[in-house]
Amino acid sequence: MLSPSAFLRTLIVAALAAVLAFAPAHAQQVVTITTTTVTWTYDDAGDDDGAADSDAGSDESVIDEGAALLDDEALAEDADFAATRRYAPAATLKALGHAKARFGPFSVIDGATVRMAGDVTSATPRQFAAMLAAYPGLKRLEMTDCPGSLDEEANLILARAIRRAGMETIVPAGGSIRSGAVELWLAGVTRRAAPDAEFGVHSWADEYGREANDYPANDPVHAEYLGYYREMGLNDAKARAFYALTNSTPFDDVRYLTRDDMARFVALN
């Protein structure tokens, strides 16, 4: 015979068995999600002067330009290839000093130095004059990446203003000047260029698409350019030789000259 307490326990067990018998056949699914946190650590190169300097301070930010270039055949098929330089300006050029003021393509670096990057437009001579009025001590013009001129008359006005100001013109390491910018460089009372400096030349073209060689040799149009070269210190023979060299390359193409090539025509310091 069961004791009262044993009988009570038997009833409890039986009740639990009945509940379980009528419970749903499925159980609640428990999903455990494991998350992983990834922390990106940026290596500060130590520059605290702005984005331009921080990019130049890390080797990882430098693009392998040799690997990025297309092959020669693909470049030849690109209609814009003749208007571009062979390689991008060195990244360090953009980080050499911080501009105190900007006037069009000119950036004043210090009391004696101005850096130029960009095209010459009809407004550029006025911008140059305003810059000299504000900073009369400027004597050094560094030409880092100058594609040329969108206004040839303005370009020659600017060139003569550079000469009157007694400025030295410089193409620094990694720098490139093309087309009308070469005339600006010639305007320096002294001229310097790094061993890897790049000079791109080609023929001029008028508003009708006619190029220098489309005009007779005795046409007055040639006298303007030859006179300018002589004005900048080239003797008659070298002025004619340089003018012929530039015009041997069509307007829509470009011929790249080195520092040593330019030294055949003008004195470098």
Side-chain angles (χ1 to χ4, degrees):
M1 181 175 180
L2 294 174
S3 65
S5 61
F7 179 73
L8 180 61
R9 286 196 298 272
T10 300
L11 289 177
I12 293 173
V13 170
L16 289 173
V19 170
L20 290 175
F22 291 96
H26 63 278
Q28 181 180 4
Q29 184 178 12
V30 177
V31 178
T32 301
I33 300 175
T34 302
T35 61
T36 302
T37 302
V38 179
T39 302
W40 295 96
T41 302
Y42 294 92
D43 185 14
D44 189 351
D47 296 324
D48 57 0
D49 294 331
D53 282 351
S54 63
D55 289 343
S58 173
D59 290 339
E60 293 180 359
S61 66
V62 178
I63 297 174
D64 184 352
E65 293 162 357
L69 286 176
L70 300 175
D71 59 24
D72 292 342
E73 182 177 352
L75 287 172
E77 293 174 356
D78 183 354
D80 294 330
F81 171 59
T84 62
R85 72 194 314 281
R86 289 178 299 177
Y87 52 85
T92 53
L93 288 179
K94 297 181 180 179
L96 291 177
H98 296 276
K100 299 172 64 175
R102 289 186 170 86
F103 299 82
F106 303 107
S107 298
V108 177
I109 303 304
D110 55 43
T113 306
V114 57
R115 185 166 295 128
M116 181 179 183
D119 290 303
V120 172
T121 69
S122 59
T124 309
R126 295 194 301 273
Q127 293 163 340
F128 182 80
M131 178 182 68
L132 286 185
Y135 297 91
L138 292 172
K139 291 298 178 184
R140 185 182 305 110
L141 175 61
E142 295 183 358
M143 306 175 72
T144 60
D145 188 23
C146 303
S149 170
L150 303 179
D151 185 323
E152 188 63 15
E153 182 180 1
N155 196 63
L156 294 178
I157 291 172
L158 175 61
R160 291 184 169 98
I162 291 171
R163 173 57 64 96
R164 286 195 303 272
M167 301 190 80
E168 176 185 38
T169 51
I170 304 166
V171 183
S176 173
I177 61 175
R178 285 91 71 198
S179 191
V182 177
E183 271 73 41
L184 298 181
W185 178 78
L186 289 173
V189 293
T190 57
R191 313 171 188 95
R192 288 196 286 135
D196 66 344
E198 180 178 79
F199 300 82
V201 299
H202 62 176
S203 173
W204 54 265
D206 64 17
E207 63 270 28
Y208 304 106
R210 293 176 298 189
E211 301 185 12
N213 290 330
D214 294 326
Y215 286 83
N218 60 351
D219 193 288
V221 70
H222 302 300
E224 181 177 8
Y225 291 93
L226 292 171
Y228 172 78
Y229 294 142
R230 287 191 290 263
E231 186 180 339
M232 296 304 143
L234 282 70
N235 62 36
D236 186 66
K238 288 184 177 179
R240 291 182 180 276
F242 185 69
Y243 186 57
L245 175 65
T246 62
N247 293 330
S248 66
T249 301
F251 174 76
D252 60 356
D253 202 348
V254 62
R255 178 173 182 171
Y256 290 100
L257 305 177
T258 66
R259 179 190 187 280
D260 291 340
D261 292 329
M262 296 302 297
R264 293 167 47 203
F265 302 99
V266 296
L268 277 71
N269 299 88

